Amino acid sequence: MIHQFQTKNAAPVIMLDDLTHRIFNAIGRPFENQGIFLPEQIPGYIERLQAAINAEQNSASSSSVSDDDQSADLSPLGRRAYPFLELLRRAQESQEPVVWGT
């Protein structure tokens, strides 16, 4: 299933089910097919998602001996979640909610 997340002043972000559920697990919120992140909730979600990305990145870098990939600075979650994280940041800047499933 495909989910579209949107806020004012930013392009919508479309994600597949697997990534959506992975992000919602990382931010500690159960996923619902329709919902809203209120402006006052967004800073906490950004912090939790960034912490999950950092934890995965630290885990991956401690287990790999060498990596010539130039995109190694972002974990797989970080690469895949980056557009969503940017959407949250844009919503935070403009104090707008993020909605989906509407």
Side-chain angles (χ1 to χ4, degrees), residues 12 23 35 47 101:
I23 288 173
E47 187 176 307

Side-chain angles (χ1 to χ4, degrees), residues 4 16 29 32 58 65-66 71-72 77 99:
Q4 179 172 311
L16 295 174
R29 178 173 169 155
E32 301 159 352
N58 291 339
V65 176
S66 69
S71 62
L77 176 61
V99 296

Side-chain angles (χ1 to χ4, degrees), residues 15-34:
M15 298 187 299
L16 295 174
D17 240 6
D18 67 326
L19 178 58
T20 301
H21 288 283
R22 191 169 173 199
I23 288 173
F24 273 71
N25 285 338
I27 65 173
R29 178 173 169 155
F31 177 73
E32 301 159 352
N33 285 324
Q34 183 175 350

Side-chain angles (χ1 to χ4, degrees), residues 19 51 61 64 66-67 83 89:
L19 178 58
S61 64
S64 67
S66 69
D67 193 346
R89 289 180 178 144

Side-chain angles (χ1 to χ4, degrees), residues 4-63:
Q4 179 172 311
F5 297 83
Q6 53 194 17
T7 189
K8 291 183 180 178
N9 302 322
V13 172
I14 299 171
M15 298 187 299
L16 295 174
D17 240 6
D18 67 326
L19 178 58
T20 301
H21 288 283
R22 191 169 173 199
I23 288 173
F24 273 71
N25 285 338
I27 65 173
R29 178 173 169 155
F31 177 73
E32 301 159 352
N33 285 324
Q34 183 175 350
I36 185 170
F37 292 153
L38 299 174
E40 59 269 14
Q41 296 172 314
I42 292 173
Y45 293 147
I46 292 171
E47 187 176 307
R48 289 184 207 140
L49 182 55
Q50 189 64 59
I53 291 168
N54 292 344
E56 186 176 281
Q57 182 180 2
N58 291 339
S59 172
S61 64
S62 66
S63 65

